[in-house]
Amino acid sequence: MMPNQQRNRRQTATRLFAREFYESSLPDGGQGEFDPRFIVTKLGARVNRMFVCGVVERLERRDTERGPMFSGAVRDPTGLHLWSVGSFRPELHLEMEELVARFDDGDRFLMACIGKSNHYTTEDGGFRCRMQMEDYAIIDREVYATWLVETANHTMRRIDALGKAQSAETTDSNALRDAGVPGDLVDGLGLAMNHYGDWDAEGYKVGVLQALSAAEGRVISFEEHEASPPAPEETETENEDAAEESAESTPTSKGDLNIETVVLEIIAEHAGDEGIDYDSIMKHCAQRGLTDEDSIEDMIYSLRDDKCEIMEPRFGWFKPM
Amino acid sequence: MSNPEEFENEIRTVKESVPDADESAIAKEFARYKDEFLVPPKHALRSVIEHFQKEAGMEVSAPNTSTRRAAKSVERFSDLASDDTNVTIEVAVISYTPRMTMVRGEEKQTAFGWIEDNPWEEGGERTRWDFKDWGNHAENLSPGSVVRLEGVSVNEWNGKFSLNINQTSRVAVLRASERKVVMAPSEPISIERVLTMDGFATVVARVITAEQRTVNKKDGSGTIDLVKGRLADDTGTIGFACFGDFEHPVGALLKIESAAIRRFRNTPELNIGERTKVEIYHDEGFASLENLEASSVMQISELRDGATDVAITVQLTSWSSRKFTGKDGAEKTVWGGDAVDPTGVCRLTAWSELPIDEGSVPLAIRLSNVRVRSWQGTPDLTVDRIEQAEILDAIPWDVIDASTHSVEVDFSELLSGGSRSGVTSSATVISVQSGSGIIHRCPDCKKAMRDGACREHGPQAGIEDLRLRIILDDGQNNGALILGRESAEAFLGQTMADVQAATKDDGGEAFLADLRSRMLGRRHTFTGRAMIDPQGALLMADSFTLTDLNLEELANEVRERWGVFA
C-alpha cells in the first residue's frame, strides 16, 4: 500500500535571471517524503519550479549506461542558465535530438524553458545549481522580450522586499511582515538574510536595467555589470565546466565511491515496482554505518541527474534505471 | 538594425582567436545575436568565438575550474569567518526560545538562543554566540545539552556573529539535558493576519454581532447551546463561536487569549473554548462599533464559502422560482436569481418569498445576516428569512449588464482570494497538460477515462469530447485552466471534428506538440470562473485568447513601479 499521499499544491514557476540562480547556495525543504525542495536565492526567492528564457549557448547529448541525456544552457542578460534533460524523460528526447542537430549545424535560437531547480555538491564542497527541464518551446523575440520585462519586474519586487527586510529589526517573520515584506517572500528572505548575510543588490539591479533595455530594443551592456566581480561571463562557464568535471570525477573520490556503492546496492536490493522511498534509503544507509544524510542526499541526486543510474518515478521514490 | 562598424572591437578579438574567420561572417553573427536574441556583442563574444573555432575545426578552449568552500570543521567560534557555510562544531546549548511564525499560511516554529563553544573542558574558557534555528531542531537543542552541529552557517550582522541552524543542518545530541522547552505565549495579532493562520491566536476585537443558538449534535444525542457572532478590528472581521458562557454585549471590546482557529469550508472562525481567556479590554482609540459595522459590509469578490452574518448590497438581474419535493414529501418553493455588483457576479437563493417579481429586475437589494454557500465551486448568497432582505429604491451604481459582466482581476489577486465568477484575468501558459485534445468520457459518470477505462465504472466505450488542460502561472501563483469543448473550439479555431481528424493517426502527439510550441511561455487571457481551495485553483474558461501586449508600455510600467531608469 502506498503511504498517505499528501498532495502538495503545484509549485509556481519562479521568474529569475541566470545570475540570481547560479549565485544561490542555500537549499531548503525536502525533509519529508513529499516535501518539495527549493533553492533559496540571495533575494529570497524560494525556487522549485522555474521559467527561464534565452538564446541557446550550449546543447549536447551525452550517452550514459542508462541511455542518452541532454545538457544545455541558455543565455539571458545576466549569464547562463544551465539545464539538463535526464534519461528518465524519454518523451523529450526525440525533439532534443533534432535541436542538437540544429545546434551542431551552427543554428542558434531563443528558448523558453520550464523545469525544476536542482543542486548538487561538487567534490570540493562547492554548491552548484542547475535546472531539470520539464518542458520547453522555441520562441520568438517578442515572447523573449515579454519574459525579460516580467522577470525584471519580479526581480525588482524581490530587491525592493530585501531593502524592506534589511530595515527590519530582526529576520523573524513577524518583523519582516511588519517591515512590509510581501507574504510570499517573508519565509525565503528570512532564510536568505541569515544565510547570505549583508550584501549589496546593486549588481542585480544592473541586470534588470540591461533586461529592460534589451526588451525595449536597446541592446547594450552596462559597464558596471561587466566590472562587478565575479564577472558572470566567466563564472557561469567555470561553474558549468566544474560541474561537468565533478560529475565525471566524483567516483574517484574514495568516500563518495563508498556512499555511491552502498546507495546503489540499497536501491537495487529494496526497490519494488514503486521504487524505494527516500527515508527508507536513509534508514538502510544508517544500518550500514552511513549517517551523513547530506552526502547521501547529494549522492542520490548525482546518481539521478549526472550518472543517471537511478530514476525518480514519483517524487521521493527511487528505482534503478 | 546593426551596422558592421559597431562590432569592430569584437571582430578583432574573434580574429585573434580564429585568424582565418571571415570578417563579414563575424559581423553577421554579432548582428544576429543583437537583433534576434537581444544579446549585446560583449556577451556574445564567447559564443561567437566558439562558433568560428568549431567551424575552423579548432579545439574549443576550455576555461579553468573554480573552487568553492568545502565543509569546515572547527572547535572554537574564533576559528570561523563571517562567510563560512557548511560548518561542523560541538557546542553547549545555553538557551532556546521558540517562536511561532507564519510561514506560507502555516504556523511554523523557529527559535533563537545562545550557544557556547568548547563544551567539554570543565571550567575552560567559553565563547557565547547567538544562534537561530530554522529547521525546528527543538528536540535536540534543549538548554543544558551538548550537541554537534553539522552543516550550519555563520551570519555576521553589524559586526556581531551568530550561527544559523538550517533545515538541512544536522544536530546530534552528545550529552542530553533534563530541561524541556516551553512554548512562548502569543501576543495579540490583527484579525487580517488571523484569517490567514491556523492554530491558536490572541486578538483584541470588538463584538459586532452575537446570537444565542442551539444546534443539534450530529449523532442525534441531543443539543448544544452556543453563542455565535462576529468580531472586528480595523483590519477585518472574523466569526466566532463560544461553547460556554458569553455575556458580552454587541459593542464590547475584548481581549481573547489563545482561541483556536477552526475552518468551516473556506472560512476561518475563532473558537472560544475552555482554555481561552476572555477579558474586557480598555482602549479609547479602538475603532467604534459604527465604524466597524460600516466597514464590514462586503462585496461579491470578498464572499467565501461558509461565511455567515454577511452584510452586502447587490443588483439582481433575474428572478424566478421553482418548486420541488422535499425529503419529507412536502412540496416546497425556492426562489433565486443572478446577482452582480461592480466586483463580480454570483447567485442568490431565497428560502422564503421576497417582494420581488420577474418584471421588477434589475433592482438593488440590501442583505444582512445572510450566509454564503458554494454552488459548483463558486460562492452564492443564501437568504433564509424575509427580514434579511431590503429592496432599495435605486441601484447604487450604473446598471450592470449581467450577461456580459466580467471583472478584470490581477491574476495573483484572483488566485490568493476566494472562488469567484465573472472574472477576466491573464497569466503565462507554463504547461499544456497531457489529456488535452480528444478525450473519452465515461457514459455513466461523464468523467474522463484513462486507457479506455473509467476509474469507477471499468473499461467501456467512452464518449468522445474535446478538452484542453492548461497551467497558467504569473510567477507568484498558478492554476489549472480547463477549456471545455465550446471554448476550446473557439480558441483553436478548429471544430472537434477537425481535432479528431488531426489526432487520429498518432493519438494526438503532434497536436499536443504543436499546442505546446504555440502556447508555452506566452501570456493568455481568460474569462470565466475560478474555484479556489487549499489544494489549488481550478479555472473554468468561457473564453480564452492570446493576450495582446504592448511591450513598451509593460517595460515602462516596470520602470515606473520600481524607479529603475538608466
Side-chain angles (χ1 to χ4, degrees), chain B residues 243-306:
Chain B
F243 293 92
D245 290 332
F246 188 88
E247 282 152 4
H248 305 282
V250 167
L253 181 60
L254 302 174
K255 181 178 185 188
I256 299 170
E257 229 169 281
S258 62
I261 302 166
R262 296 268 179 271
R263 276 172 197 278
F264 174 62
R265 302 191 180 194
N266 273 329
T267 305
E269 187 180 79
L270 281 179
N271 265 10
I272 300 174
E274 278 172 19
R275 292 197 298 174
T276 313
K277 198 167 121 196
V278 180
E279 58 188 27
I280 307 279
Y281 194 81
H282 298 282
D283 179 359
E284 291 294 318
F286 204 88
S288 70
L289 180 62
E290 292 71 35
N291 287 345
L292 291 172
E293 273 176 340
S295 63
S296 65
V297 172
M298 298 181 105
Q299 294 189 303
I300 288 177
S301 63
E302 300 167 315
L303 297 178
R304 299 287 177 274
D305 188 17

Side-chain angles (χ1 to χ4, degrees), chain A residues 10 12-13 15 28 31 57-58 108 125 135 141 153-154 157 171-173 187 194 216 226, chain B residues 32 35 43 46-47 69 99 101 104 132 134 164 167 473-474 476 478 516 559 561-562:
Chain A
R10 183 187 165 89
T12 296
R15 318 296 205 253
D28 178 39
Q31 283 195 310
E57 171 120 353
R58 271 132 222 260
R108 298 291 179 270
D135 212 345
R141 186 186 145 138
N153 183 42
H154 281 278
R157 182 171 177 269
T171 53
D172 168 89
S173 62
D187 188 32
N194 284 288
E216 289 161 340
E226 297 292 297
Chain B
R32 180 157 179 233
D35 298 333
H43 293 184
R46 214 188 110 100
S47 308
R69 291 181 301 279
R99 174 172 287 204
T101 48
R104 300 186 298 286
K132 272 207 175 127
W134 297 97
N164 280 323
Q167 292 210 341
D473 182 315
D474 72 345
Q476 271 169 260
N478 71 80
R516 279 172 46 223
R559 286 184 185 278
R561 185 175 309 141
W562 306 111

Side-chain angles (χ1 to χ4, degrees), chain B residues 153-436:
Chain B
S153 48
V154 180
N155 180 38
E156 186 192 352
W157 186 259
N158 292 334
K160 194 178 175 201
F161 286 83
S162 61
L163 275 186
N164 280 323
I165 304 173
N166 305 312
Q167 292 210 341
T168 50
S169 303
R170 213 172 96 90
V171 180
V173 180
L174 306 175
R175 192 183 68 199
S177 152
E178 295 294 305
R179 283 180 274 167
K180 280 272 173 258
V181 171
V182 187
M183 297 280 289
S186 56
E187 293 287 304
I189 45 180
S190 69
I191 286 177
E192 186 183 28
R193 194 175 284 173
V194 174
L195 293 173
T196 66
M197 285 174 49
D198 284 311
F200 290 83
T202 295
V203 296
V204 170
R206 206 179 282 285
V207 181
I208 56 170
T209 64
E211 192 185 351
Q212 187 77 43
R213 290 208 197 156
T214 304
V215 294
N216 296 314
K217 280 191 188 168
K218 263 197 185 145
D219 57 8
S221 64
T223 60
I224 317 173
D225 290 327
L226 77 160
V227 176
K228 288 201 78 153
R230 187 155 279 275
L231 300 164
D233 67 10
D234 55 13
T235 70
T237 75
I238 187 167
F240 73 90
C242 177
F243 293 92
D245 290 332
F246 188 88
E247 282 152 4
H248 305 282
V250 167
L253 181 60
L254 302 174
K255 181 178 185 188
I256 299 170
E257 229 169 281
S258 62
I261 302 166
R262 296 268 179 271
R263 276 172 197 278
F264 174 62
R265 302 191 180 194
N266 273 329
T267 305
E269 187 180 79
L270 281 179
N271 265 10
I272 300 174
E274 278 172 19
R275 292 197 298 174
T276 313
K277 198 167 121 196
V278 180
E279 58 188 27
I280 307 279
Y281 194 81
H282 298 282
D283 179 359
E284 291 294 318
F286 204 88
S288 70
L289 180 62
E290 292 71 35
N291 287 345
L292 291 172
E293 273 176 340
S295 63
S296 65
V297 172
M298 298 181 105
Q299 294 189 303
I300 288 177
S301 63
E302 300 167 315
L303 297 178
R304 299 287 177 274
D305 188 17
T308 53
D309 296 320
V310 170
I312 190 169
T313 297
V314 295
Q315 171 196 324
L316 275 183
T317 57
S318 67
W319 195 249
S320 60
S321 65
R322 104 189 137 79
K323 291 189 177 1
F324 69 101
T325 310
K327 273 182 197 156
D328 52 3
E331 189 167 89
K332 288 181 179 170
T333 307
V334 59
W335 293 261
D338 294 307
V340 296
D341 77 0
T343 72
V345 304
C346 70
R347 287 274 305 171
L348 186 137
T349 305
W351 293 98
S352 47
E353 187 165 12
L354 305 180
I356 302 169
D357 63 57
E358 283 163 48
S360 58
V361 295
L363 58 79
I365 182 168
R366 179 187 291 147
L367 306 169
S368 55
N369 282 320
V370 296
R371 57 200 173 94
V372 177
R373 283 293 173 274
S374 220
W375 184 77
Q376 289 193 346
T378 49
D380 288 348
L381 292 162
T382 305
V383 178
D384 296 296
R385 302 179 302 277
I386 186 165
E387 63 270 20
Q388 292 171 328
E390 180 193 344
I391 311 293
L392 300 183
D393 296 335
I395 295 169
W397 47 74
D398 290 340
V399 176
I400 298 165
D401 178 358
S403 63
T404 59
H405 186 50
S406 86
V407 183
E408 237 181 286
V409 194
D410 171 75
F411 190 75
S412 272
E413 189 189 322
L414 176 67
L415 268 79
S416 48
S419 300
R420 288 172 75 173
S421 302
V423 287
T424 296
S425 193
S426 67
T428 303
V429 172
I430 240 45
S431 171
V432 180
Q433 308 255 279
S434 59
S436 293

